[in-house]
Amino acid sequence: MVRQLIGSITAKWRNHMFWKHENNETSFMTEKEFRGYMNDYDVEPDPPAFTVKDGMSEEFITDDAHYSKNIILSQNFRRPINSKKLIGNNNVLIVGGPGTGKTSTVIKPNILQMNSSYVIDAGTGAEYLGSLGKTLYEHGYKIKVLNFMDPDNSCCYNPFNYLKNEDDVLRLVQCFIDNTIKSKGGGDNQFFVDAEKLLYSACIFYLRDFCQNDMYKNFAGVMSMINSSSVNENDPSAKSPLDELFDKLPKSSLAWRYYKAFKQASGKTLKSIIISCLTRLQLMLTPGLQKIMSTDEIDMVDIGQRKTALFIVRNDDDDVSGVVSSILYKQLLSVLYESGEKAHSLGKSIQLPVHVCLITDNTLPGIYEYPSWLSTMRKYNISAMITVQNISQLEKKYGENWKTLVGNCSTIVFLGTRSSGTAKYFSGLLKRRKSIKTQSKNQDFMTSEEIMAMDPSECIVFSQNTNPFKDKKYIYEDHPFYPETADCDPNNAFYFIRSNLSNDNKYAFKSLELNLLPKSIHYFTDKENFVISMIKNGDLSAEKGAFYLKINLSEMKHLLEIN
């Protein structure tokens, strides 16, 4: 089967003349090397697509045998999803300027492989949900959406739901501080920052261990607690309501111990710390965010156990969504790592890969530990696919740690650039191999100018322990499941809304509802029903609905009557 696949691919490649004869000293992979790669790592051909039909069992639909076991990197180059077959990990860094095909030639085709759970952080690109949601859902995926741009139609995520021990609380507080210290809250003075951590930790421990009302177990609850504090500079012995609350706690409790450490500061200093805390917390108290964080529907453990697609929709310039996304990533990795360790301790393998797609053309999320996390993901069957427009984006976000991030990605897909710095970087990667007989030092195989003038239909794949592979970019329209997407047929568009309407509403028979999510969450693949539901919920006027559906108002009213 592998030999047959190699034959069909190499026949195409001979026509393109991208492989050079061994004696030409090319730095690109030769046909012989490509054959060796395909055989050594048992790269399997993708199975044919199938359309889900009525009567098919869930067991059949979700059977892994029906889906590809590869990661698509170019028109011909694949990497097995089973990272144990190869040296290195399945982290992929995609570098390409605007319009070079990061989405269409790499990200979307790989989501359509449907061989992992996916966390898709697409910034403002809700198009991923709209274009791919129906395909994923019909092939057995649980769909979840964290929509910061439309909180009324978002799943809920509450970080406090994942605080099992002291380390979990301290990690949450540290992540919150790390992602707000440069723009919001109490200055850069380390003393103030450390004191803030103590107060945040004390309040969170109280809410986790002693509060009986779940509605307060969130950042809004922390804000309410700190608001009840006060400092009387003229009477150091005066007690605030917050002081009295903590005085009633057992002296052995974590909440009491952290609050006592916080109270070691003097009156004026305490007052400044409290103001700093309140200032920083304001970031987390927008009405939309409070709605999202009121409870939890993400169920992070389930992401590693059942095929799930979590779409994160946010504004790249929104500080709030960046902070919450960073907390989510940190907690998700912690939860999946813990699940992985439990599986290892029981002698079990982690069956389901989890693939994180960071589609971040404008700004990377503020995950400061992210470069180092990439080095440990492989053990737990987690991988990341990161897109950037140029190398300077990584340098700006992570400083010197950008090299750690790149080094922890065993694969880089270069799609083209107009950035001279990025061109110089990739020119440096494309060095001629040394030949003792003919030359004594390396020379650039492609200059920066040649890199910048590269054919827009071509890409270069850098994979660990192989020579770079120059190829045509993958053609999205060639993917076997492309006909099922909304990119192919707008009638496949997928909508996610929350509704208070019960299941017996007349339009609900066309909605796609997941039983494992709250019944108030509905999935629509029909624009007409989506608009009707919005009107009935009072979220859209009939006039606007008629405009969106391109019908007149009387026709819109008729639709409302019969539905």
Side-chain angles (χ1 to χ4, degrees), residues 8 11 16 37 94 111 142-143 193 222 253 261 272 280 282 319 341 378-379 384 417 421 456 509 525:
S8 65
H16 287 301
Y37 170 84
I94 306 159
I111 295 173
K142 181 187 289 187
I143 305 295
V193 171
V222 174
S253 67
S272 298
R280 195 188 302 273
Q282 287 292 338
D319 289 338
E341 288 297 341
R378 179 181 180 274
K379 178 181 177 182
T417 186
F509 77 96
T525 58

Side-chain angles (χ1 to χ4, degrees), residues 412-471:
I412 303 175
V413 180
F414 175 65
L415 300 173
T417 186
R418 293 302 301 162
S419 163
S420 58
T422 300
K424 182 178 180 181
Y425 174 80
F426 282 100
S427 177
L429 293 183
L430 292 170
K431 295 287 187 181
R432 286 185 185 273
R433 293 172 300 197
K434 285 185 178 180
S435 170
I436 298 175
K437 295 180 179 179
T438 59
Q439 58 188 45
S440 59
K441 67 177 183 177
N442 293 340
Q443 296 175 351
D444 288 346
F445 179 62
M446 291 181 73
T447 66
S448 298
E449 291 75 16
E450 290 171 327
I451 289 282
M452 294 172 71
M454 200 167 75
D455 187 326
S457 68
E458 296 175 8
C459 65
I460 302 173
V461 179
F462 299 83
S463 191
Q464 187 167 333
N465 285 33
T466 69
N467 279 326
F469 189 79
K470 191 176 183 184
D471 195 3

Side-chain angles (χ1 to χ4, degrees), residues 167-182:
D167 286 342
D168 289 339
V169 173
L170 298 182
R171 279 194 291 262
L172 171 61
V173 171
Q174 186 64 55
C175 190
F176 174 61
I177 292 285
D178 286 344
N179 287 281
T180 57
I181 194 168
K182 294 183 178 180

Side-chain angles (χ1 to χ4, degrees), residues 50 52-63 66-67 138-140:
F50 72 96
V52 176
K53 298 178 181 178
D54 293 340
M56 284 185 176
S57 67
E58 182 178 354
E59 183 180 3
F60 178 87
I61 293 170
T62 57
D63 187 345
H66 297 141
Y67 302 96
E138 291 190 342
H139 286 269

Side-chain angles (χ1 to χ4, degrees), residues 79-126:
R79 187 178 176 91
I81 192 70
N82 182 0
S83 60
K84 293 181 180 179
K85 285 187 174 183
L86 292 168
I87 297 173
N89 54 47
N90 278 333
N91 298 329
V92 181
L93 175 63
I94 306 159
V95 183
T100 54
K102 297 184 291 295
T103 294
S104 62
T105 69
V106 187
I107 297 293
K108 284 188 175 181
N110 276 292
I111 295 173
L112 287 180
Q113 296 291 78
M114 294 186 279
N115 51 25
S116 309
S117 277
Y118 298 101
V119 179
I120 304 161
D121 187 347
T124 56

Side-chain angles (χ1 to χ4, degrees), residues 275-341:
I275 293 172
S276 295
C277 286
L278 294 173
T279 302
R280 195 188 302 273
L281 280 169
Q282 287 292 338
L283 185 73
M284 308 293 283
L285 297 180
T286 63
L289 190 58
Q290 287 192 63
K291 182 176 291 187
I292 287 176
M293 303 180 82
S294 60
T295 186
D296 188 80
E297 297 163 341
I298 299 300
D299 191 4
M300 292 182 176
V301 173
D302 198 46
I303 292 175
Q305 297 176 348
R306 172 182 169 172
K307 281 188 175 181
T308 302
L310 169 59
F311 293 85
I312 300 175
V313 182
R314 61 192 182 87
N315 190 327
D316 288 332
D317 298 324
D318 178 21
D319 289 338
V320 176
S321 61
V323 173
V324 180
S325 296
S326 297
I327 293 172
L328 182 144
Y329 283 121
K330 185 155 191 170
Q331 289 193 325
L332 177 62
L333 290 178
S334 295
V335 167
L336 295 178
Y337 281 19
E338 182 181 348
S339 297
E341 288 297 341

